[in-house]
Structure formats: structure tokens, C-alpha cells
Amino acid sequence: MREVNPWLCRRLILKLRGKRTFDDGIVLETLLTEEGLLREERLTWAGLLLLGQKPQKFLPASYIEFRAYNWHTAAESALLTRKRIDGPLSEIFETTQRLLLSHLRTKQVEESFNSLGVPEIPLEALQGALANALVHRDLLVEAPIQVAVFRDHV
């Protein structure tokens, strides 16, 4: 249980239980076992990825390799950004989403001069694709998830 990030654990349990406050009388190990995140006093892979301090210590390829290019192809000369994104799944998701949004073009939808643009790809579509990539990855494949942003596609 040393690998557990207490803040992430508390946040996940509150979300799973649909509560705003945390009952400190609850035994953490019991809750994690009930949710399938702890088995025989050890975190499961899901528990490690969701709640671990450094999941990549035990699952080395559980990170995202992010790249952004200023052209239509993956030529090294067109590479703008290259970043390894690791940590618990929630951090990987949030950081990758931020990077994606920062490299996508936006379009003006309102007529006001100072109105904010919206991403050319809807946020919900990006979040869905990213969540699917993170949740449905094969942990036995020892290669990271690749996310690449090109001038005309992701």
C-alpha cells in the first residue's frame, strides 16, 4: 500500500461513493478491495494505474508519447513538441488533453471580436478518444500510447 497516492485514493472513493465528504471511519483496504483495486493486500494493475504514486515503476510502458508537428507528416524536421507524459491515469489524461488543445487550431464561432475560439475538433471527441486509448490499452505490450498532432489531423 506504500505505492498509493492518498489524495488520488480519497478523490476516487468520494467519486465512486457519490459523496462530498469522506468518512474517516471507513477502512481503506476494504473499499479498495470492494472496487477491485486491491487483491491480497496488493494493488491490482487498475489500482496501480489509478492510484499509484509512480505506476511506471511497475508498468514501464504505461505512459503517453506525445508529438506535435507543423506539417502533414512525421518528419523530424517538422517536429514542434515531443513529450513523455507519465504518472497516474488522471494526470496523464489531463496533461495530454491540455497539450492536445494547445496544439489544435481554433475557429471563431461568435461574431464578437474578443470571443474565444473553439477547438477544430470537439473537446468531447478528444476526451473520448483519449479515454479509450488509456482504458483499453494492452498492458502486456511494452510500448507507450502514441498521440500525434499534425497540421490536418490527430
Side-chain angles (χ1 to χ4, degrees):
M1 290 288 292
R2 287 189 325 262
E3 299 86 25
V4 172
N5 178 319
W7 183 83
L8 286 174
C9 194
R10 192 176 183 98
R11 191 173 89 171
L12 179 69
I13 289 170
L14 288 173
K15 191 171 205 142
L16 290 171
R17 299 293 171 171
K19 297 181 181 177
R20 291 181 171 261
T21 59
F22 192 78
D23 180 0
D24 289 329
I26 294 174
V27 178
L28 180 61
E29 287 81 1
T30 303
L31 284 174
L32 294 178
T33 301
E34 287 174 3
E35 298 299 337
L37 301 173
L38 187 71
R39 188 178 303 128
E40 298 173 11
E41 299 181 14
R42 299 187 78 194
L43 286 174
T44 61
W45 282 5
L48 186 61
L49 289 167
L50 289 169
L51 306 172
Q53 301 272 16
K54 298 267 186 205
Q56 291 72 31
K57 178 179 175 183
F58 303 97
L59 297 164
S62 62
Y63 66 94
I64 285 183
E65 177 73 34
F66 181 90
R67 293 180 184 173
Y69 299 92
N70 65 356
W71 200 243
H72 306 287
T73 64
E76 278 299 313
S77 60
L79 185 63
L80 291 172
T81 303
R82 181 179 185 165
K83 184 166 175 66
R84 176 189 167 119
I85 306 166
D86 57 16
L89 283 184
S90 59
E91 284 180 29
I92 293 173
F93 182 87
E94 291 163 11
T95 302
T96 306
Q97 178 179 283
R98 245 188 339 272
L99 278 168
L100 278 166
L101 290 173
S102 72
H103 287 283
L104 288 176
R105 292 182 297 209
T106 58
K107 57 184 176 180
Q108 199 80 18
V109 291
E110 294 180 25
E111 291 184 23
S112 170
F113 178 72
N114 290 327
S115 65
L116 297 174
V118 296
E120 60 186 331
I121 300 173
L123 180 59
E124 295 79 17
L126 291 172
Q127 290 172 331
L130 185 54
N132 280 335
L134 289 169
V135 173
H136 297 295
R137 71 158 296 143
D138 184 347
L139 294 172
L140 298 176
V141 174
E142 293 189 17
I145 296 169
Q146 304 283 324
V147 175
V149 179
F150 297 89
R151 191 172 183 159
D152 60 347
H153 65 284
V154 175

